[in-house]
Each structure stands twice: as structure tokens, then as C-alpha cells.
Amino acid sequence: MRLKELLLNEYVLVFVFCLAAVHGPAFSLMDNFDLAGCVDCKTYLGLAQLDLDQSPIRRYRPIVPLLAGCINYVFGGVFKVLQPTSFNGDFGLSFSFYLVNCVLLSLWGVVIYRFGKAYGLRQLYALLGTLVMLTCRWTPYIAGTPLADSVYCLALGLALLGIKEGNERMLLASILIGPFAKESYLLMAPIVFFFGKRKGRLTLYLALSGALVFGFRYLYDMAAGTPPGSGLAADVDHVNYIADNTRRLLSFHGAYDVLSNMGLWLLLPIIALVTVPGAGRELRVRIEPYMICFLLVIVLHMVLSSSFERMFYLSMPVLCMLTGVSIQLIGDKWVFTRK
């Protein structure tokens, strides 16, 4: 493919659009965020510097920290020259995390855009649907801080798109990346297996991924001198929080935290349902069984975690697609039908 064709490729343009939308708010947040008060950030900053004495819950998520650490090792000196006078701390390392997370979330935006198109959205409406993610308050937070959520978002998005398109490479990428991004990918694995094609190959991929993950955790524990299985015990301990988290989730503030991911975008499906005949059916036919299972997995993520809104953010591919469908229905009914 020639350079001009590559630069004008639809998905390259969407990636650039997503990167342009994400990087400004993310940089502003990075420049003003207090890292001292964020335990999660401290863990990932430590991993990026190969400090293995970290939380047993988060220490086995190496992808984003290692990428950021490598970038900082090569370009950290250059980044420090660019450091704003208002920034406190290691700007080179924080900026490296910022670069990695902005790129990964922009790739996730491309996946969301393509997921919308797979459900019949025209280009404009697929892009408008993607804006739900790009304008969510959690997007600059995840892109601008030393967190590792971005790669998990991408892994889940690839799983959904791989199932919808029957794309084995996307499913393989999701299976290999997901468990290293977050341990709760284990909840997603059955969906990938039962709704993906070529069960024999998926079984092999899942077995390979499991072997790589447990091999890495074993080697990590040996290198760090931590008791083998301590990480697994910490993960299982999350079960003890389910009852309390469920009560909080069902409260007013719990519901508000979840719905705040959508913000005013939530009005568009409501407007479509009220003003467009047949909108309910058009939305329902796009909610396939694997998607319902995925949303149930997201609910499990929420009750296992105290950060409901951050876990609900993972469902953006579905939310963006349904919002894009709603906008398309409204547009076809009230804009393009006018003479």
C-alpha cells in the first residue's frame, strides 16, 4: 500500500481523530494529577522501574508499565526538557505512560468505530457513536495517569469485534493480551470460547494463554521472593466484597456513578425510542446473546470492584454502538427525510 493510501485509510483517519480528541484533556489531567494519592498509579510506576515489590493484586499486569518503562529509558531525557514548570515528579515516566495509554485508547476507539459499522452504522454515525467513549470523563483519566486499564479495554474490544466478525486473529490477540492486562479476563474467556468459531483452535489459544500467564506469575514470584499463589489469594479475596458492593451499586449514588459514563449521550436512545417508530425493535435486534453475556460479565466486574463507573466504562463498545444506532435512527427520521 502506498504512503498516500495508507494515510487516507479509513481506520488510520479514525485513529488520528481519536488521538486528537484524547491527548489534550489527558495531558491536562496528567499535568495536574496528584500521583501521591493514587495507590494504583504507584504500583504501575514501580513496575515500569522494575521494582517488583508491588501489590499482589496489580503486579502481574506488565504490558503498559513495561512499554512505558522502555519509552522512558530511550526518550526520558528528551521528555524532561519538555517538562512543564507546574509538574511535580518524574515527568519522563509519566509522559511515557501518557503516550502509551493515548495510543492504546485511540486503537480502542478504532475498534469501537468498526464494531459500530459491523452493526450497520454508516461512517458518520459510527464516528458519532465513538464520541461517547472519547467524551467520557474516564477517558482522559485512563489516558493521562499511570494506569493499565487501556490495554484491558483494547483486549475486551478485540474480543467483541472478533466474535462479531468471526476474526480469529482478533480473538487470538484478545486471548493473549487480556490475562496480562487484568486477571478478571478469566470471566471473559468463556464468552470468547462459546461464541467464537473454530473451537479447537480457541481451546489451544486459551491453553497457551493460561500457560504463559501462570508461567509468568511463577517466574515473577521467584524473582520478587513473594510466596507463590499470594496473588491468586488476593484475587479470590475480592469475592468477600460482592455483597457490600452490590448494595452500593443498587443505591442512588451507585446508579448515578454508572450512568455518568454516558452523560447527556444517554438522552439520545431515549429520544429515539420516543420519537422514532420501531426504534425499540431496531435496538433490540442488535443486542445479540454474546453481548448480553458480556454485559453480565461487566456487572461482575463492578461488584468485584469498588470502582463501579470505571468498570462500567469497559462496556463502551456496546454503549457506543447502541448510541450510534439511536443517532442514525433520529437522523434518518428527522433530518434526511425532510424535503
Side-chain angles (χ1 to χ4, degrees):
M1 184 181 292
R2 291 179 307 208
L3 179 60
K4 182 178 179 180
E5 293 175 343
L6 176 63
L7 293 176
L8 295 178
N9 178 273
E10 176 183 359
Y11 297 120
V12 172
L13 292 175
V14 172
F15 172 81
V16 173
F17 175 82
C18 293
L19 190 60
V22 169
H23 87 279
F27 186 90
S28 178
L29 190 143
M30 178 194 69
D31 191 28
N32 294 279
F33 189 77
D34 181 15
L35 292 174
C38 182
V39 177
D40 289 26
C41 290
K42 289 181 180 178
T43 294
Y44 299 125
L45 287 169
L47 289 175
Q49 300 172 85
L50 300 181
D51 179 359
L52 303 183
D53 184 19
Q54 302 298 333
S55 161
I57 298 173
R58 293 176 293 275
R59 67 190 179 205
Y60 304 110
R61 304 170 187 174
I63 298 177
V64 172
L66 287 182
L67 288 174
C70 289
I71 292 173
N72 182 57
Y73 180 79
V74 177
F75 300 105
V78 177
F79 295 157
K80 288 181 180 179
V81 176
L82 306 174
Q83 179 171 340
T85 56
S86 58
F87 188 88
N88 293 317
D90 188 342
F91 179 78
L93 188 54
S94 292
F95 191 74
S96 298
F97 270 97
Y98 158 82
L99 290 178
V100 171
N101 284 329
C102 281
V103 168
L104 290 174
L105 284 183
S106 297
L107 289 173
W108 191 42
V110 175
V111 170
I112 290 173
Y113 171 84
R114 185 163 164 174
F115 187 70
K117 289 192 68 179
Y119 280 92
L121 289 179
R122 298 189 290 276
Q123 290 177 334
L124 173 62
Y125 297 109
L127 196 60
L128 289 174
T130 307
L131 281 176
V132 178
M133 180 275 286
L134 294 175
T135 58
C136 178
R137 66 190 180 95
W138 280 100
T139 298
Y141 180 82
I142 291 172
T145 58
L147 293 175
D149 294 42
S150 58
V151 71
Y152 190 52
C153 291
L154 181 59
L156 294 184
L158 287 171
L160 294 176
L161 186 57
I163 291 171
K164 176 59 181 174
E165 294 188 350
N167 190 313
E168 187 177 335
R169 291 183 178 180
M170 289 184 182
L171 292 179
L172 175 59
S174 177
I175 289 169
L176 294 179
I177 294 172
F180 287 99
K182 197 175 182 70
E183 297 72 26
S184 50
Y185 185 84
L186 180 65
L187 300 172
M188 188 68 187
I191 298 176
V192 173
F193 177 78
F194 286 111
F195 292 100
K197 298 178 180 179
R198 298 188 176 183
K199 297 293 189 289
R201 291 191 180 187
L202 287 176
T203 301
L204 178 62
Y205 297 155
L206 289 167
L208 174 62
S209 178
L212 290 173
V213 169
F214 283 104
F216 168 74
R217 292 169 75 104
Y218 176 76
L219 292 174
Y220 187 108
D221 287 334
M222 285 188 61
T226 52
S230 59
L232 181 61
D235 294 334
V236 173
D237 189 56
H238 280 74
V239 175
N240 297 323
Y241 304 114
I242 290 179
D244 183 56
N245 286 342
T246 301
R247 283 192 294 269
R248 290 178 50 234
L249 178 61
L250 296 177
S251 68
F252 169 79
H253 285 288
Y256 172 79
D257 287 342
V258 170
L259 295 178
S260 66
N261 278 273
M262 289 284 290
L264 293 177
W265 292 103
L266 184 62
L267 296 176
L268 291 168
I270 297 173
I271 292 172
L273 290 171
V274 172
T275 65
V276 181
R281 182 185 64 81
E282 290 292 335
L283 291 171
R284 283 196 302 273
V285 297
R286 287 173 170 84
I287 303 176
E288 299 187 60
Y290 80 90
M291 210 179 293
I292 296 173
C293 294
F294 170 71
L295 293 175
L296 290 175
V297 164
I298 297 303
V299 172
L300 281 176
H301 278 70
M302 292 161 66
V303 297
L304 287 169
S305 170
S306 59
S307 183
F308 304 140
E309 62 273 43
R310 191 166 143 198
M311 293 300 102
F312 188 66
Y313 179 79
L314 299 171
S315 65
M316 275 295 165
V318 176
L319 300 179
C320 292
M321 182 272 292
L322 293 176
T323 304
V325 171
S326 300
I327 301 172
Q328 183 166 283
L329 291 171
I330 295 169
D332 289 347
K333 175 67 176 177
W334 298 109
V335 179
F336 294 109
T337 55
R338 290 186 176 181
K339 308 221 175 174

